[in-house]
C-alpha cells in the first residue's frame, strides 16, 4: 500500500537476512547484525517467540535474550529496517511453533482457530509486543516497515475468519498505518489470502522462481513480489543425516530474483542455537530437531563466515546501486579447552522428588509441568510368564524398569509403544521414565501433550486365554528441566563410587564438574561419550545431547564463560560411558551413530507386483506444480503403492516432493498415521531423501531414488487404517527442470500388506 510507505522507499528492493534474537547470545547481536549488513542487506526479518516471552500466563519477559526492543533498536542504529513476525504461530523448528505449552492445560483448546480462550491469550500477547515496539514502526519514524499476520496458515487449514481476527488484533495494537502482510506457499496462498494484505511467497533454493510467482501475478498483476522465506539450507533431526544445500543453488535463486526486482528474505542468513529445550519436532510422525540450528546458513551457528557468505556478498554487490558494502566485522576466534572429567553424580533413582498420587495416568501438562522428564511408578500383578507391556502413548522417549532393572526403551520416533516384560511376583515395581523432547512445531499435530497421553496395559496369554490389565494407582515424579531442579536434586557422590553396568554405562542422573578457561572465547563442548540428556554451563541452558547424532558437540559462546573456573551440569537419562568432555575449535554436526537403518527396505527384500492388478495406470504431465488423478471408481484399502515406470527426462531417478491420497468425497486423507512400508531405493548416503519425505508437509524436501538404479521404482505406504479411496495427488520437485519427474506410473491399493 503506497500511502503507507514513504515515497523515497517505493522503488527499493529489499534483501533481508532472517535470524532470531533468542537463538543468539545478546552480547553478539550487534556483531551479527553488522555481518548481515556487510553482505549488502538492508533489513532484518525476525520472528517473535510467544512461549519465550510468556513462560507462564500473564508473566511476560522482555529481558536478556528476550529483549525485543533492544534488538529492534540495534537494527535501527545500524541503519537496518525490520520486518516483524509476531505470529502468534511462527514454526521456525521451535518448540510448539512458538505457542506456549501452558495452553495445553485446557485440553479441549483449539489452537490457531477461533477458539475464544486461544484468541483471548493471543490478544494479550500481541498487546504486550505492541507495548514494546509499536512506537518503532516506520509511521512513527522507526525501523519496522511491515508486520506479518499469522504464518503459513495454508499449511494448517482454511479459515479466513481466524486469519482476519489476527489481522484485526494487529491493527488494534499497532495502529492503522502499519503495513500488514501474510506469507504462504504458491500452492495454497489463495486459501486464506485477505484482500487488504500484501501477499508474499515462501520457497527454497533451486525453486522455479517464475512458477512460484505465476499465480500471484495472475491474480494481482501489479503486486510487489517478495519471497519472504527463501530457504538457504535445512534443519537437522536426531538420527538423520546433517542437512546441507548447494551454495550455487542459493546464489542462482537470489541473483534471479534481484535481477527481476523481487525482494527476498534469506531463511536463514544466520541460524543460531536452540538453547535448552527449545528445539521443536517435525510431523507427520515425530522427528525431533537437534540443538544446533546451523541450517547450513551463510553465517554459521557460531557466527563464522562460510563459503556461502562470501558468494552471497559477491552477488549482492551487483545490486548496491553503486554503494560500497560495509566491512565484515571481526570474527570471534574459537578456542580449544583441554579434556576434563566430571567429579560427582547425583543418581536419579535415589534422588527422586516427592511424588504425587493418581489413580489414572495424566500428562505432564496436567501436573503443570512443561518440560523435562516424568517418572510414572506403579505395581504389577503376578506375572507367571513374560507379558506384553503397552504404553499408549509415550511422548517421547520412554525407558521401562521392573524392580529397578532396565527392560527396554520405547522411542516415539520409531512408533514404539510395546515391549515384553519378564515374569514377576505380585507387587513388583514398574517404573516408566519419560523424557519430553520438543513439541511438534508444524501441522495439526502441534497439540502435542507430553508424558503418557493415554493408558498403560499388561497383556498376558495364558493357555489360550488373553488377559488385559489396565494399570492404575500411580506415583508420579515430576523432574522439571531447570537449573534449580538439577542443582537441588539431592545428594552428589564422587563418580569413582560407581562402576559401569553390563552395558558400560554409569548411572542415570545429574553429573557435575568444572573446567578452567584462561581467556574466554567460543568453543564446542564434546559429548561423544554421553548418552541422552540436557546440559547447563554456568547456569545457562546449552541444549540437548543424544549419542545417536548427527550432532555430537554443543556450541558454547565465550560470552557465557568465565576466566578461571566454570561449572557444568549434565542430566543424562541413559548414563554416560565416560563422564568427560573437552572444548573443540570446530563443531561435530555430521556424526551419525544409529542402529536403525535410514531406509525402508530390508536386505534382500523385493516387492512382488506380478500378481497384482493396478487400480490406475496413467502418465503425469511435464512441469512443476500439483497434479491429480481420479480413479474410475472408489476402491477400498489400507496399503497403497505407486510404481514409477520411467521419468520425463529419460534418466533413471524418480523423485516425489509430496503426495496425498483422496477419499471417496475427494478430500485429502490425514497423513499423520502414514508409515512407509517399502521403497525400492532411497538416496540417504549424502542427503535425507528417504520415502517419508513424500508426506513430511515440506514441499522443498523429497524422496529420491539413488542415481544409477534403473526403473521401475516403487514406494508402499501403510495409511494406518482402511479407507475408501478415489484419487491421488502428486507434487514433483520445484526446480525449473523438475529432476526426477515421473512420467508413466501405476497405482495399486490393497486391504492386506503387499508381498515381498
Amino acid at each position: 500500500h503506497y500511502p503507507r510507505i514513504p515515497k523515497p522507499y517505493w522503488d527499493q528492493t529489499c534483501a533481508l537476512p532472517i535470524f532470531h534474537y533468542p537463538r543468539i547470545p545478546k552480547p553478539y547481536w550487534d556483531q551479527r547484525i553488522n555481518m548481515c549488513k556487510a553482505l549488502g542487506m538492508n533489513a532484518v526479518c525476525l520472528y517473535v517467540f510467544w512461549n519465550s516471552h510468556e513462560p507462564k500466563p500473564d508473566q511476560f519477559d522482555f529481558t536478556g535474550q528476550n529483549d525485543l526492543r533492544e534488538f529492534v533498536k540495534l537494527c535501527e542504529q545500524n541503519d537496518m529496517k525490520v520486518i516483524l513476525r509476531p505470529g502468534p504461530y511462527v514454526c521456525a523448528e521451535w518448540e510448539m511453533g512458538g505457542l506456549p505449552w501452558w495452553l495445553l492445560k485446557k485440553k479441549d483448546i483449539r489452537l490457531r482457530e477461533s477458539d475464544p480462550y486461544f484468541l483471548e491469550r493471543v490478544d494479550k500477547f500481541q498487546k504486550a509486543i505492541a507495548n514494546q515496539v509499536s512506537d518503532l514502526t516506520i509511521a512513527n519514524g522507526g525501523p519496522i516497515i511491515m508486520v506479518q499476520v499469522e504464518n503459513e496458515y495454508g499449511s494448517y487449514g482454511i479459515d479466513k475468519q481466524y486469519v482476519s481476527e489476527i489481522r484485526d488484533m494487529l491493527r488494534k495494537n499497532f495502529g492503522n498505518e502499519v503495513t500488514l502482510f501474510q506469507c504462504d506457499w504458491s500452492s495454497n496462498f489463495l486459501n486464506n489470502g485477505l484482500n487488504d494484505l500484501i501477499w508474499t511467497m515462501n520457497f527454497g533454493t533451486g525453486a522455479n522462481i517464475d512458477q512460484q510467482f505465476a499465480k500471484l501475478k495472475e491474480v494481482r498483476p501489479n503486486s510487489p513480489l517478495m519471497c519472504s522465506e527463501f530457504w538457504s539450507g535445512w534443519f537437522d533431526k536426531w538420527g538423520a543425516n546433517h542437512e546441507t544445500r548447494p551454495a550455487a543453488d542459493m546464489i542462482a535463486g537470489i541473483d534471479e530474483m534481484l535481477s527481476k526486482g523481487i525482494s527476498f528474505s534469506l531463511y536463514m542468513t544466520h541460524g543460531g542455537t536452540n538453547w535448552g529445550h527449545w528445539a521443536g519436532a517435525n510431523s507427520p510422525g515425530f522427528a525431533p530437531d537437534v540443538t544446533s540450528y546451523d541450517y547450513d546458513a551463510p553465517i554459521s551457528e557460531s557466527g563464522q563466515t562460510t563459503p556461502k557468505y562470501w558468494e552471497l556478498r559477491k552477488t549482492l554487490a551487483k545490486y548496491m546501486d553503486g554503494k560500497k558494502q560495509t566491512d565484515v566485522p571481526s570474527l570471534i576466534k574459537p578456542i580449544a579447552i583441554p579434556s576434563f572429567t566430571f567429579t560427582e553424580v547425583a543418581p536419579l533413582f535415589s534422588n527422586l522428588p516427592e511424588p504425587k498420587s493418581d489413580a489414572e495416568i495424566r500428562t505432564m501438562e496436567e501436573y503443570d509441568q512443561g518440560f523435562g522428564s516424568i517418572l510414572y511408578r506403579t505395581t504389577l500383578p503376578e506375572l507367571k510368564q513374560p507379558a506384553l507391556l503397552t504404553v499408549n502413548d509415550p511422548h517421547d522417549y520412554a525407558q521401562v524398569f521392573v524392580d529397578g532393572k532396565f527392560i527396554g526403551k520405547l522411542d516415539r520416533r520409531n512408533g514404539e509403544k510395546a515391549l515384553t516384560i519378564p515374569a514377576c511376583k505380585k507387587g513388583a515395581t514398574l517404573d516408566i521414565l519419560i523424557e519430553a523432547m520438543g513439541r511438534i512445531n508444524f501441522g495439526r499435530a502441534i497439540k502435542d501433550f507430553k508424558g503418557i497421553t493415554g493408558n498403560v496395559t499388561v497383556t498376558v496369554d495364558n493357555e489360550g486365554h488373553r488377559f488385559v490389565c489396565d494399570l492404575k494407582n500411580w506415583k508420579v515424579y515430576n523432574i522439571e528441566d531447570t537449573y534449580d531442579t538439577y542443582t537441588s536434586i539431592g545428594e552428589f557422590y564422587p563418580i569413582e563410587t560407581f562402576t559401569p553396568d553390563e552395558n558400560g554405562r554409569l548411572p542415570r542422573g545429574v553429573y557435575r564438574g568444572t573446567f578452567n578457561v584462561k581467556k574466554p572465547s567460543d568453543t564446542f563442548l564434546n559429548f561423544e561419550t554421553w548418552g541422552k540428556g540436557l546440559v547447563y554451563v554456568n547456569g545457562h541452558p546449552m541444549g540437548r545431547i543424544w549419542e545417536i547424532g548427527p550432532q555430537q558437540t554443543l556450541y558454547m559462546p565465550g560470552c557465557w564463560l568465565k576466566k578461571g573456573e566454570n561449572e557444568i551440569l549434565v542430566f543424562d537419562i541413559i548414563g554416560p560411558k565416560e563422564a568427560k568432555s573437552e572444548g573443540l575449535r570446530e563443531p561435530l554436526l555430521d556424526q551419525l551413530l544409529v542402529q536403525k537403518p535410514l531406509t525402508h527396505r530390508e536386505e534382500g527384500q523385493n516387492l512382488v507386483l506380478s500378481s497384482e492388478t493396478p487400480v490406475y495406470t496413467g502418465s503425469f504431465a511435464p512441469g512443476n506444480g500439483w497434479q491429480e488423478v481420479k480413479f474410475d471408481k472408489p476402491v477400498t484399502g489400507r496399503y497403497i503403492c505407486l510404481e514409477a515406470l520411467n521419468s520425463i527426462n529419460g534418466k533413471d531417478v524418480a523423485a516425489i516432493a509430496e503426495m496425498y491420497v483422496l477419499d471417496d468425497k475427494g478430500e485429502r486423507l490425514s497423513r499423520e498415521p502414514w508409515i512407509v512400508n517399502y521403497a525400492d531405493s532411497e538416496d540417504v548416503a549424502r542427503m535425507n531423501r528417504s520415502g517419508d519425505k513424500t508426506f513430511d508437509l515440506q514441499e522443498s524436501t523429497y524422496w529420491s531414488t539413488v542415481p544409477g538404479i534403473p526403473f521401475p521404482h516403487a514406494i508402499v505406504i501403510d495409511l494406518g487404517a482402511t479407507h475408501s479411496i478415489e484419487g491421488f495427488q502428486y507434487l514433483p520437485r520445484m526446480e525449473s527442470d523438475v529432476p526426477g519427474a515421473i512420467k508413466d506410473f501405476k497405482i495399486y491399493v490393497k486391504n492386506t500388506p503387499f508381498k515381498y
Side-chain angles (χ1 to χ4, degrees):
H1 302 147
Y2 60 89
R4 289 185 170 134
I5 304 171
K7 188 173 181 179
Y9 296 124
W10 285 2
D11 194 40
Q12 185 179 46
T13 300
C14 290
L16 300 98
I18 297 181
F19 61 99
H20 306 139
Y21 54 96
R23 282 181 160 136
I24 303 165
K26 186 177 180 181
Y28 296 164
W29 285 356
D30 186 69
Q31 187 246 9
R32 301 297 203 266
I33 292 169
N34 275 288
M35 288 186 72
C36 293
K37 185 177 181 180
L39 283 167
M41 293 178 163
N42 53 16
V44 175
C45 192
L46 59 102
Y47 279 132
V48 182
F49 298 127
W50 181 3
N51 49 16
S52 182
H53 287 291
E54 193 179 5
K56 294 183 178 180
D58 299 312
Q59 294 183 20
F60 292 99
D61 180 9
F62 292 98
T63 64
Q65 291 292 116
N66 289 327
D67 195 340
L68 170 62
R69 185 177 182 86
E70 174 65 16
F71 187 84
V72 173
K73 293 291 286 184
L74 277 174
C75 291
E76 182 179 36
Q77 291 168 22
N78 288 293
D79 195 27
M80 296 281 274
K81 303 302 180 187
V82 172
I83 290 181
L84 193 68
R85 308 173 78 182
Y89 165 83
V90 298
C91 185
E93 290 70 59
W94 189 264
E95 151 81 20
M96 206 169 157
L99 303 181
W101 71 268
W102 45 261
L103 292 172
L104 300 181
K105 292 168 68 174
K106 188 176 185 298
K107 293 194 77 170
D108 63 348
I109 192 171
R110 291 179 293 117
L111 301 173
R112 300 182 73 191
E113 295 183 32
S114 297
D115 177 289
Y117 175 68
F118 180 71
L119 291 177
E120 174 192 338
R121 297 310 317 184
V122 173
D123 191 34
K124 288 187 176 184
F125 168 62
Q126 302 285 24
K127 188 177 297 181
I129 296 299
N131 286 341
Q132 292 292 313
V133 296
S134 64
D135 63 322
L136 298 179
T137 63
I138 197 165
N140 296 316
I144 299 175
I145 56 176
M146 291 201 300
V147 178
Q148 182 174 291
V149 177
E150 246 284 347
N151 186 54
E152 292 185 336
Y153 195 77
S155 301
Y156 191 79
I158 301 175
D159 192 342
K160 285 191 177 183
Q161 177 185 341
Y162 164 73
V163 178
S164 299
E165 288 168 320
I166 301 301
R167 173 203 60 197
D168 294 345
M169 285 182 195
L170 291 169
R171 283 262 181 259
K172 178 183 68 174
N173 291 316
F174 280 85
N176 290 324
E177 297 305 310
V178 68
T179 299
L180 301 181
F181 75 103
Q182 60 190 127
C183 71
D184 252 312
W185 299 346
S186 63
S187 61
N188 59 30
F189 75 97
L190 288 174
N191 290 340
N192 298 289
L194 303 183
N195 291 334
D196 60 336
L197 301 185
I198 291 174
W199 297 343
T200 65
M201 302 294 111
N202 293 352
F203 50 86
T205 57
N208 182 338
I209 306 294
D210 289 338
Q211 191 270 341
Q212 293 294 317
F213 287 105
K215 191 66 179 179
L216 176 58
K217 286 199 234 181
E218 177 186 326
V219 298
R220 286 187 174 181
N222 298 317
S223 174
L225 302 181
M226 178 176 178
C227 176
S228 44
E229 287 187 16
F230 186 60
W231 305 315
S232 65
W234 207 244
F235 50 90
D236 286 347
K237 298 176 285 294
W238 290 113
N241 289 312
H242 174 53
E243 295 273 6
T244 60
R245 296 290 187 273
D249 291 350
M250 180 191 79
I251 296 301
I254 290 172
D255 201 9
E256 180 180 352
M257 283 190 284
L258 290 177
S259 71
K260 295 177 177 179
I262 300 172
S263 296
F264 75 95
S265 293
L266 186 61
Y267 193 108
M268 300 289 295
T269 303
H270 176 29
T273 308
N274 299 312
W275 311 113
H277 46 242
W278 287 121
N282 207 12
S283 172
F286 181 71
D289 300 314
V290 304
T291 297
S292 170
Y293 202 62
D294 180 82
Y295 211 85
D296 192 33
I299 303 172
S300 76
E301 176 185 12
S302 60
Q304 300 297 310
T305 57
T306 70
K308 278 186 175 179
Y309 183 92
W310 298 107
E311 288 296 315
L312 180 57
R313 180 174 155 90
K314 184 167 62 176
T315 299
L316 294 183
K318 299 190 301 184
Y319 300 96
M320 296 287 291
D321 293 330
K323 296 178 182 177
K324 185 180 178 182
Q325 289 164 312
T326 59
D327 293 336
V328 178
S330 298
L331 304 182
I332 297 169
K333 186 177 181 180
I335 61 171
I337 297 174
S339 179
F340 58 89
T341 57
F342 289 68
T343 55
E344 51 186 354
V345 58
L348 174 62
F349 281 94
S350 59
N351 287 285
L352 293 171
E354 285 298 312
K356 301 177 177 66
S357 297
D358 229 323
E360 304 291 339
I361 287 281
R362 300 186 192 278
T363 66
M364 265 191 185
E365 292 79 7
E366 292 175 278
Y367 294 114
D368 199 28
Q369 180 182 354
F371 309 100
S373 297
I374 186 169
L375 177 69
Y376 297 89
R377 173 175 287 174
T378 191
T379 56
L380 290 166
E382 182 181 16
L383 300 176
K384 295 182 178 180
Q385 60 189 36
L388 185 70
L389 180 79
T390 303
V391 181
N392 299 307
D393 282 338
H395 286 191
D396 300 305
Y397 186 88
Q399 297 178 82
V400 176
F401 307 81
V402 175
D403 283 339
K405 179 177 174 58
F406 175 67
I407 305 301
K409 55 86 180 171
L410 300 172
D411 188 341
R412 183 184 177 191
R413 295 178 312 121
N414 303 327
E416 297 166 357
K417 301 181 182 181
L419 51 71
T420 300
I421 57 175
C424 62
K425 295 180 180 180
K426 181 180 180 180
T429 299
L430 171 70
D431 284 326
I432 305 175
L433 174 65
I434 295 188
E435 183 197 31
M437 301 189 73
R439 290 177 177 83
I440 289 170
N441 57 259
F442 195 76
R444 287 281 170 178
I446 57 173
K447 194 173 181 179
D448 186 8
F449 297 97
K450 296 303 181 182
I452 297 176
T453 61
N455 66 341
V456 179
T457 63
V458 174
T459 303
V460 180
D461 286 314
N462 188 13
E463 297 179 355
H465 298 285
R466 188 167 179 265
F467 173 70
V468 180
C469 178
D470 191 351
L471 300 180
K472 307 286 186 183
N473 301 318
W474 297 88
K475 296 288 186 184
V476 181
Y477 303 82
N478 302 98
I479 307 162
E480 185 81 33
D481 176 39
T482 69
Y483 176 72
D484 289 342
T485 295
Y486 302 136
T487 54
S488 61
I489 192 170
E491 190 169 356
F492 283 80
Y493 300 91
I495 284 181
E496 53 266 26
T497 306
F498 303 91
T499 57
D501 64 14
E502 64 274 15
N503 297 313
R505 294 191 182 275
L506 292 167
R508 298 164 176 83
V510 179
Y511 287 76
R512 187 160 60 189
T514 60
F515 60 91
N516 285 285
V517 176
K518 293 181 180 179
K519 185 178 180 181
S521 190
D522 292 359
T523 192
F524 300 90
L525 295 175
N526 188 357
F527 292 96
E528 290 179 275
T529 65
W530 293 77
K532 187 178 195 306
L534 293 139
V535 178
Y536 284 77
V537 176
N538 295 332
H540 292 279
M542 302 311 302
R544 192 180 305 279
I545 57 173
W546 195 356
E547 61 188 358
I548 66 172
Q551 179 177 0
Q552 300 291 346
T553 55
L554 290 180
Y555 170 48
M556 180 71 243
C559 59
W560 293 345
L561 291 175
K562 305 171 185 175
K563 183 178 180 180
E565 188 173 87
N566 293 264
E567 180 201 52
I568 182 168
L569 290 176
V570 180
F571 177 53
D572 193 326
I573 64 164
I574 294 177
K577 293 179 179 177
E578 292 184 78
K580 66 177 185 178
S581 186
E582 62 184 329
L584 305 179
R585 290 189 175 91
E586 298 283 342
L588 301 176
L589 299 179
D590 195 11
Q591 194 165 300
L592 190 61
L593 301 173
V594 291
Q595 296 178 344
K596 184 178 183 291
L598 302 176
T599 55
H600 298 86
R601 180 183 185 181
E602 296 179 11
E603 187 175 353
Q605 189 180 46
N606 290 290
L607 176 65
V608 179
L609 293 175
S610 56
S611 60
E612 306 292 348
T613 302
V615 299
Y616 189 92
T617 300
S619 301
F620 290 122
N624 300 107
W626 282 96
Q627 300 187 44
E628 180 176 299
V629 297
K630 287 289 186 73
F631 306 159
D632 293 335
K633 59 181 180 180
V635 294
T636 301
R638 171 171 176 163
Y639 304 90
I640 185 167
C641 169
L642 173 72
E643 183 186 26
L645 304 178
N646 48 43
S647 67
I648 286 174
N649 64 11
K651 296 183 179 180
D652 54 18
V653 173
I656 299 177
E658 289 287 296
M659 64 185 187
Y660 280 94
V661 174
L662 305 179
D663 65 17
D664 53 10
K665 297 180 179 62
E667 300 292 329
R668 289 175 169 179
L669 293 178
S670 169
R671 302 186 299 179
E672 279 300 319
W674 287 18
I675 296 173
V676 179
N677 276 171
Y678 174 90
D680 76 293
S681 176
E682 297 165 279
D683 188 5
V684 298
R686 298 165 292 110
M687 301 286 286
N688 296 311
R689 294 170 179 165
S690 51
D692 53 291
K693 297 296 178 289
T694 59
F695 54 90
D696 68 348
L697 291 170
Q698 303 289 343
E699 294 187 1
S700 68
T701 60
Y702 52 89
W703 164 54
S704 178
T705 60
V706 177
I709 298 178
F711 280 91
H713 293 299
I715 184 168
V716 177
I717 306 293
D718 177 356
L719 303 177
T722 300
H723 297 276
S724 181
I725 300 167
E726 73 164 19
F728 182 86
Q729 293 178 332
Y730 153 76
L731 181 69
R733 289 172 59 176
M734 58 173 55
E735 294 91 332
S736 57
D737 55 347
V738 202
I742 297 167
K743 184 181 179 184
D744 301 319
F745 66 94
K746 295 179 181 179
I747 295 176
Y748 303 82
V749 177
K750 292 189 64 177
N751 287 306
T752 57
F754 285 87
K755 294 180 181 179
Y756 303 98

